[in-house]
Short mmCIF file of all heavy atoms in Angstrom, two decimals:
data_model
loop_
_atom_site.label_atom_id
_atom_site.label_comp_id
_atom_site.label_asym_id
_atom_site.label_seq_id
_atom_site.Cartn_x
_atom_site.Cartn_y
_atom_site.Cartn_z
N MET A 168 -4.00 4.43 15.15
CA MET A 168 -4.86 3.26 15.12
C MET A 168 -4.97 2.66 16.52
O MET A 168 -4.04 2.71 17.32
CB MET A 168 -4.32 2.21 14.15
CG MET A 168 -4.19 2.67 12.73
SD MET A 168 -3.68 1.35 11.58
CE MET A 168 -5.27 0.61 11.20
N GLU A 169 -6.12 2.08 16.80
CA GLU A 169 -6.31 1.34 18.04
C GLU A 169 -5.79 -0.07 17.83
O GLU A 169 -6.21 -0.77 16.89
CB GLU A 169 -7.79 1.31 18.43
CG GLU A 169 -8.06 0.64 19.76
CD GLU A 169 -9.52 0.73 20.17
OE1 GLU A 169 -10.16 1.74 19.79
OE2 GLU A 169 -9.99 -0.19 20.85
N ILE A 170 -4.86 -0.51 18.67
CA ILE A 170 -4.16 -1.78 18.47
C ILE A 170 -4.50 -2.76 19.58
O ILE A 170 -4.45 -2.42 20.77
CB ILE A 170 -2.63 -1.56 18.42
CG1 ILE A 170 -2.26 -0.56 17.32
CG2 ILE A 170 -1.91 -2.89 18.19
CD1 ILE A 170 -0.81 -0.11 17.36
N HIS A 171 -4.85 -3.99 19.17
CA HIS A 171 -5.09 -5.08 20.11
C HIS A 171 -4.08 -6.18 19.84
O HIS A 171 -3.97 -6.65 18.70
CB HIS A 171 -6.52 -5.62 19.98
CG HIS A 171 -7.58 -4.60 20.23
ND1 HIS A 171 -7.97 -4.24 21.50
CD2 HIS A 171 -8.31 -3.85 19.37
CE1 HIS A 171 -8.91 -3.31 21.42
NE2 HIS A 171 -9.13 -3.05 20.14
N ARG A 172 -3.36 -6.61 20.86
CA ARG A 172 -2.36 -7.67 20.72
C ARG A 172 -2.84 -8.93 21.42
O ARG A 172 -3.36 -8.87 22.53
CB ARG A 172 -1.01 -7.23 21.30
CG ARG A 172 -0.33 -6.11 20.55
CD ARG A 172 1.02 -5.77 21.19
NE ARG A 172 1.78 -4.81 20.42
CZ ARG A 172 1.67 -3.50 20.55
NH1 ARG A 172 0.82 -3.01 21.43
NH2 ARG A 172 2.41 -2.68 19.82
N GLU A 173 -2.64 -10.08 20.75
CA GLU A 173 -3.04 -11.36 21.34
C GLU A 173 -2.26 -12.48 20.67
O GLU A 173 -2.24 -12.59 19.44
CB GLU A 173 -4.54 -11.58 21.16
CG GLU A 173 -5.06 -12.81 21.89
CD GLU A 173 -6.58 -12.91 21.81
OE1 GLU A 173 -7.18 -12.11 21.07
OE2 GLU A 173 -7.13 -13.80 22.46
N TYR A 174 -1.62 -13.31 21.49
CA TYR A 174 -0.88 -14.47 21.02
C TYR A 174 0.11 -14.13 19.90
O TYR A 174 0.21 -14.82 18.89
CB TYR A 174 -1.84 -15.56 20.53
CG TYR A 174 -2.85 -15.97 21.56
CD1 TYR A 174 -4.21 -15.71 21.38
CD2 TYR A 174 -2.46 -16.59 22.74
CE1 TYR A 174 -5.14 -16.06 22.34
CE2 TYR A 174 -3.38 -16.95 23.71
CZ TYR A 174 -4.72 -16.68 23.52
OH TYR A 174 -5.64 -17.03 24.47
N GLY A 175 0.83 -13.04 20.06
CA GLY A 175 1.87 -12.67 19.10
C GLY A 175 1.37 -11.97 17.86
O GLY A 175 2.15 -11.65 16.97
N GLU A 176 0.06 -11.74 17.77
CA GLU A 176 -0.51 -11.05 16.62
C GLU A 176 -1.14 -9.74 17.06
O GLU A 176 -1.55 -9.59 18.21
CB GLU A 176 -1.55 -11.93 15.91
CG GLU A 176 -0.96 -13.20 15.30
CD GLU A 176 -1.98 -13.95 14.47
OE1 GLU A 176 -3.18 -13.58 14.51
OE2 GLU A 176 -1.59 -14.91 13.80
N ALA A 177 -1.21 -8.82 16.12
CA ALA A 177 -1.80 -7.51 16.41
C ALA A 177 -2.92 -7.22 15.41
O ALA A 177 -2.79 -7.49 14.22
CB ALA A 177 -0.74 -6.42 16.33
N ASP A 178 -4.00 -6.71 15.92
CA ASP A 178 -5.14 -6.31 15.09
C ASP A 178 -5.37 -4.83 15.36
O ASP A 178 -5.71 -4.44 16.48
CB ASP A 178 -6.37 -7.13 15.47
CG ASP A 178 -7.53 -6.91 14.51
OD1 ASP A 178 -7.44 -5.96 13.69
OD2 ASP A 178 -8.51 -7.67 14.55
N ALA A 179 -5.16 -4.01 14.35
CA ALA A 179 -5.29 -2.56 14.51
C ALA A 179 -6.41 -2.05 13.62
O ALA A 179 -6.61 -2.57 12.51
CB ALA A 179 -3.98 -1.87 14.16
#
Side-chain angles (χ1 to χ4, degrees):
M168 300 185 85
E169 184 175 329
I170 303 170
H171 300 280
R172 293 181 174 88
E173 187 174 7
Y174 304 114
E176 295 187 352
D178 189 349

